[in-house]
Amino acid sequence: MLSLHQLRVFLAVYEHHSLTAAAEALGYAQPSISEQVRGLEKSLGVQLFRRVGRGVVPTTVADELRPHAERTLADAEAARKAVQSVKQLETGTIRFGMFGIARLYGGAGLVADVLDRYPGVRVELIGQNSSEVQDDLRRGRLEAAILSVAKLSGEGMTITPVARDELVYISADPAHLATPVTAHRLSLASLVMPDTTWRADDSTRVTLRALLHETGRNPPTRIEVEDIETAVELVGMGYADSVVPKGAAEQLLPRLAPKAGWVSLRPRTYDTYAIVHRADATLSPAARLMIELASARIQAVAEPVNRR
């Protein structure tokens, strides 16, 4: 029966046209190489090499065998890597990128999902802003992430939408919630907005700037803060209104601003969330696991987008 070792020796001899050179390349003694070739020839019942001077010349049978040997060794290596990947998944570190408020769509729940399946792993959820996380993807610091697509560059990236969430206007003043908020009304509003460090790239602001383009104004912020929880608390206190994803509003208003409510924008406006990874990436089992679990978590809160 032929073995992987025999095929590896065969390819080395085929490449070097020399038993001695093949032995040096593989780090074996020349007699061992000769023995492996003879064993392979005996198993197959054919002659693979003819001696010519100090070297060997492949026969036509060897020419036919070469691509099959290469594929067999490649498949064996792929199998080894697959097993090692699963072993790493069970005991290593899983890193996954997320935009800041993605935690509201199941950050802790996502970690729990992973640990329930693989109690031995270490989990890292990385990122505060989609643009920041995309840079980590480009540099190879992350394999995959779930991000807002409002200001993502698709160059060199595979972007697969999985859910969308409506952007809604929140206020503690019932009069501000009587009817959907038009671009004109929004341009006159007094707003508190989160993500001030990333204000130029924040997906909600990018979307609002596009909505307000015809009015000639940018979203009118009275107060700038970093985290969405602080923004929602200030809305509840009546100091300003805000625009946030509906999923975040439904989770945070009852807890942080129970007297506030929300209303749609007119026209209804959405932020889309997508799985993002480098277009040339071969995703590890860990990355595929996180994609599966993160997609399920965000689709449980936001509106699922059918993949094509």
Side-chain angles (χ1 to χ4, degrees):
M1 181 179 294
L2 59 85
S3 67
L4 294 177
H5 180 54
Q6 287 176 330
L7 293 178
R8 195 171 291 111
V9 169
F10 161 74
L11 289 175
V13 175
Y14 187 98
E15 177 184 354
H16 293 284
H17 290 262
S18 167
L19 296 171
T20 301
E24 291 177 354
L26 295 176
Y28 294 113
Q30 193 269 342
S32 176
I33 297 297
S34 298
E35 181 182 351
Q36 293 299 319
V37 171
R38 285 195 300 270
L40 182 57
E41 289 178 327
K42 183 177 180 181
S43 295
L44 298 175
V46 296
Q47 182 181 3
L48 296 172
F49 300 99
R50 289 183 290 105
R51 289 187 176 274
V52 178
R54 294 186 178 182
V56 295
V57 175
T59 65
T60 55
V61 177
D63 292 335
E64 183 68 23
L65 175 61
R66 180 188 59 80
H68 296 285
E70 289 174 339
R71 283 196 297 271
T72 299
L73 290 176
D75 288 344
E77 177 63 13
R80 185 192 68 80
K81 288 182 177 179
V83 171
Q84 289 301 116
S85 294
V86 172
K87 180 180 178 182
Q88 180 68 19
L89 175 59
E90 293 177 344
T91 60
T93 295
I94 297 178
R95 304 179 77 242
F96 189 71
M98 301 180 76
F99 61 99
I101 66 167
R103 65 185 184 279
L104 300 177
Y105 297 81
L110 176 57
V111 173
D113 291 340
V114 176
L115 295 181
D116 286 344
R117 291 197 189 191
Y118 299 100
V121 303
R122 180 174 176 271
V123 181
E124 295 183 6
L125 297 184
I126 309 295
Q128 291 293 322
N129 177 269
S130 291
S131 295
E132 170 195 41
V133 176
Q134 188 179 26
D135 185 59
D136 283 342
L137 288 169
R138 291 191 187 282
R139 295 174 182 271
R141 297 169 183 159
L142 291 169
E143 277 193 88
I146 190 162
L147 304 175
S148 167
V149 302
K151 200 176 179 183
L152 288 184
S153 168
E155 183 179 356
M157 292 287 166
T158 295
I159 299 175
T160 307
V162 293
R164 70 173 190 169
D165 203 4
E166 184 180 359
L167 295 179
V168 296
Y169 189 92
I170 61 173
S171 177
D173 187 339
H176 293 181
L177 306 176
T179 59
V181 176
T182 63
H184 176 70
R185 277 184 55 198
L186 185 62
S187 71
L188 302 176
S190 177
L191 300 179
V192 51
M193 295 298 293
D195 288 316
T196 185
T197 294
W198 294 282
R199 68 181 75 181
D201 298 318
D202 171 55
S203 61
T204 297
R205 300 195 202 209
V206 169
T207 303
L208 294 184
R209 283 197 289 270
L211 183 65
L212 293 175
H213 178 71
E214 293 183 1
T215 71
R217 297 190 62 185
N218 283 325
T221 56
R222 179 186 181 191
I223 307 169
E224 292 278 351
V225 296
E226 290 290 2
D227 61 279
I228 192 171
E229 288 84 355
T230 299
V232 170
E233 284 188 278
L234 288 167
V235 169
M237 295 175 186
Y239 288 106
D241 296 342
S242 190
V243 176
V244 300
K246 181 180 174 182
E250 290 179 334
Q251 293 184 61
L252 295 179
L253 289 180
R255 178 163 54 91
L256 301 177
K259 294 183 180 180
W262 63 267
V263 68
S264 295
L265 301 177
R266 181 179 290 165
R268 288 181 183 268
T269 304
Y270 296 85
D271 200 353
T272 299
Y273 307 130
I275 297 297
V276 184
H277 58 80
R278 289 173 57 174
D280 60 355
T282 299
L283 297 176
S284 68
R288 294 196 298 270
L289 172 70
M290 294 303 289
I291 287 171
E292 173 196 343
L293 297 178
S295 297
R297 278 284 172 180
I298 205 163
Q299 288 175 338
V301 177
E303 178 185 342
V305 172
N306 292 328
R307 300 192 194 188
R308 295 186 182 272

